[in-house]
Amino acid sequence: MIKLSKQNMIGLMLIMILSVSVYAQKKKAFSFEDAMKFRDLRSVVVSDNGNWVGYTSNPDRGDGDVFIHSLKDSAKYSIPRGQRLVFSNDENYAASIVLPKQIETENAKTAKDKPKNGLSLMRLKDGNKTDFENVNKFEFSNDSKWFDYLKNKNEDLKSEKMKKKIIGSELNLRHLNSGTEIKIDFVTEFVFDSLSKYLFYTVSSVDGKRDGIYARELNIEFAPELTIKSSENELYSNICWSNTTNILAYIVSTLTKDGKPNNGSLLIWNPMQPAKTQFALASGSTPKDWYIHHKNQLKWTFDGKKLFFGLKPVSEKDTLEKEKIKFTDSTFYNSDSILTKRDILVWHWNDPRISTNQVVWWNENKDRTFTAVYDRTTQKVTQLADLKILILQLERMTLLI
């Protein structure tokens, strides 16, 4: 048996410690930072004919990317910080929202200071990209000839008289082959029809003079604008196109003095009779104590003969105004004025929910509606849900009818 002196033992221990240290340097331990940088694949998209596949590669914290691969050859492209990839139906183009750098978003002091999303439009035959700034959403037409994108709202644009009026933003309609664009101001909603004959859009302008619903006739040179209905200072919303009958439905709502949407009417437009609009349900003809809310969900049945929409009880109208009170000598001791600045919620034992839960419930349900259906054949409206029958599965109903 070999005996080691004390000095040799210490030396051997030092060699072992140094060896472990060198090995640890070569084999770095997996850290929390490494975990945050680890990427996973999400949102896989395959083009209509199966010739292209795209996906996002995102870390837990940091900037992700979109990757696009050809399944016919070795072509592959990337869009830095891309999200929500969409291929055109003819597989000639792909488009993706481009997120700002996450570090810039994290460093923004307020929500208004946060950088906005962009957009990247890519031609797949050569990977050529066209980038756009400040974009909210986009859409390809079904025939892949047109592409439109809506910019983010300019929060500084407000009506002087109607402070709470919804103001639209800039929509750009792009002809993909030529690259020419048509700019349309103050757009709130837009949709292509299924046959790519029309682009429908609603306008809510600062001065109210352009408020209305319009169409661009895409099969005519320069895509001229067609006015479906226009009226000053009214809100047009919920564009819904029937792919079967080629008929358009929408809601038009009056505005209060401060610009908030009030009672709505349900209208129908047929391109075969472009000068005529039909009231499916006028605001004055709704069931008693019910009205048509501007935040709604319109849906045609597959045969296009019935139209589902939502009614809202008048009792749930959000009429509460939270204006800042400036006290005067006459209002300083007024109890109603004082209560506008109250911070305490008082619960009564007969209330169905405690006060804090009531606030949460209202914020989650203030825009809820109850399903009704309009029959185009009989021109009658039937209410299918109310405060007693709360839930109706609309998707299933459209499949059954």
Side-chain angles (χ1 to χ4, degrees):
M1 184 175 179
I2 301 174
K3 292 185 179 180
L4 297 176
S5 65
K6 186 177 181 181
Q7 290 82 358
N8 290 336
M9 183 72 80
I10 292 172
L12 182 60
M13 290 177 66
L14 287 172
I15 291 171
M16 291 176 66
I17 291 171
L18 288 172
S19 299
V20 170
S21 176
V22 170
Y23 179 78
Q25 289 176 6
K26 290 181 179 179
K27 280 281 191 180
K28 183 182 176 183
F30 191 75
S31 66
F32 186 62
E33 181 179 341
D34 294 327
M36 287 190 290
K37 292 179 179 179
F38 190 81
R39 288 174 174 259
D40 63 345
L41 302 185
R42 305 175 191 171
S43 306
V44 177
V45 182
V46 180
S47 63
D48 273 8
N49 293 325
N51 293 316
W52 294 88
V53 63
Y55 56 88
T56 56
S57 173
N58 293 328
D60 180 66
R61 181 175 174 82
D63 299 326
D65 303 289
V66 157
F67 293 95
I68 302 171
H69 295 262
S70 171
L71 300 179
K72 295 191 304 180
D73 51 43
S74 59
K76 59 181 181 179
Y77 310 114
S78 65
I79 301 175
R81 305 191 308 280
Q83 298 287 321
R84 288 180 268 164
L85 176 69
V86 177
F87 291 106
S88 62
N89 288 343
D90 65 0
E91 300 185 332
N92 288 332
Y93 289 88
S96 169
I97 288 292
V98 176
L99 302 182
K101 293 181 179 179
Q102 193 176 60
I103 193 169
E104 294 177 359
T105 302
E106 293 285 348
N107 288 333
K109 294 181 179 179
T110 64
K112 195 173 182 179
D113 295 331
K114 287 185 177 181
K116 306 295 184 182
N117 293 344
L119 169 70
S120 188
L121 175 66
M122 178 181 288
R123 190 170 58 200
L124 292 175
K125 71 177 182 179
D126 54 12
N128 181 62
K129 286 191 297 184
T130 305
D131 295 323
F132 309 91
E133 295 181 350
N134 196 28
V135 174
N136 181 16
K137 54 185 177 180
F138 64 89
E139 184 181 16
F140 287 105
S141 63
N142 282 344
D143 65 0
S144 303
K145 293 180 179 179
W146 298 90
F147 176 78
D148 57 11
Y149 58 95
L150 185 71
K151 293 202 169 185
N152 289 297
K153 290 182 179 180
N154 183 348
E155 300 297 339
D156 295 329
L157 282 177
K158 294 185 182 295
S159 171
E160 291 184 7
K161 295 181 180 179
M162 296 181 165
K163 302 294 184 183
K164 295 186 178 179
K165 182 182 179 182
I166 297 170
I167 304 298
S169 52
E170 179 186 315
L171 176 70
N172 290 273
L173 175 63
R174 183 182 182 91
H175 188 256
L176 287 170
N177 285 342
S178 65
T180 57
E181 291 192 354
I182 300 171
K183 187 181 81 166
I184 309 166
D185 291 323
F186 305 121
V187 173
T188 52
E189 296 180 20
F190 64 95
V191 65
F192 287 110
D193 77 304
S194 55
L195 300 177
S196 303
K197 289 183 177 180
Y198 298 99
L199 167 68
F200 299 108
Y201 53 93
T202 56
V203 170
S204 183
S205 56
V206 174
D207 60 10
K209 293 180 180 179
R210 274 273 294 167
D211 292 0
I213 181 167
Y214 302 87
R216 289 277 173 173
E217 299 182 90
L218 303 179
N219 290 338
I220 301 177
E221 190 176 11
F222 305 121
E225 184 176 75
L226 171 66
T227 302
I228 296 174
K229 186 173 174 58
S230 177
S231 49
E232 189 169 340
N233 286 323
E234 288 191 316
L235 180 66
Y236 292 76
S237 62
N238 298 276
I239 304 171
C240 185
W241 175 259
S242 170
N243 294 337
T244 306
T245 58
N246 297 331
I247 289 178
L248 183 75
Y250 60 94
I251 291 173
V252 56
S253 305
T254 58
L255 300 181
T256 61
K257 290 182 179 180
D258 59 1
K260 290 178 66 176
N262 202 4
N263 297 341
S265 297
L266 179 63
L267 287 88
I268 291 174
W269 178 77
N270 188 340
M272 302 302 293
Q273 299 174 306
K276 181 182 177 182
T277 53
Q278 175 190 349
F279 279 88
L281 182 61
S283 58
S285 301
T286 54
K288 186 180 178 182
D289 298 327
W290 293 81
Y291 76 104
I292 300 176
H293 192 40
H294 74 284
K295 290 185 178 179
N296 220 298
Q297 183 184 4
L298 306 189
K299 191 173 184 66
W300 290 100
T301 53
F302 286 152
D303 61 9
K305 293 181 179 180
K306 293 182 177 65
L307 174 66
F308 291 99
F309 65 99
L311 289 170
K312 190 169 183 62
V314 173
S315 61
E316 292 188 1
K317 242 184 195 181
D318 187 6
T319 57
L320 182 63
E321 300 293 338
K322 296 182 179 179
E323 299 289 344
K324 291 183 178 179
I325 294 295
K326 184 177 181 181
F327 290 112
T328 63
D329 291 338
S330 61
T331 61
F332 188 74
Y333 295 101
N334 181 278
S335 58
D336 291 334
S337 300
I338 295 171
L339 285 174
T340 59
K341 293 195 172 186
R342 68 188 183 276
D343 293 322
I344 298 174
L345 297 172
V346 180
W347 176 73
H348 190 277
W349 54 83
N350 288 331
D351 289 344
R353 300 176 180 85
I354 62 173
S355 296
T356 52
N357 188 250
Q358 288 183 48
V359 173
V360 172
W361 182 91
W362 176 248
N363 289 332
E364 292 176 348
N365 292 275
K366 62 182 179 180
D367 292 323
R368 69 173 179 169
T369 58
F370 298 81
T371 306
V373 61
Y374 170 73
D375 189 322
R376 285 187 58 230
T377 304
T378 62
Q379 297 188 0
K380 290 183 178 180
V381 171
T382 304
Q383 190 167 352
L384 303 176
D386 55 24
L387 292 168
K388 293 181 180 178
I389 305 175
L390 299 179
I391 300 174
L392 188 71
Q393 293 186 5
L394 188 57
E395 293 294 333
R396 185 173 295 176
M397 286 294 294
T398 55
L399 287 172
L400 292 174
I401 296 178

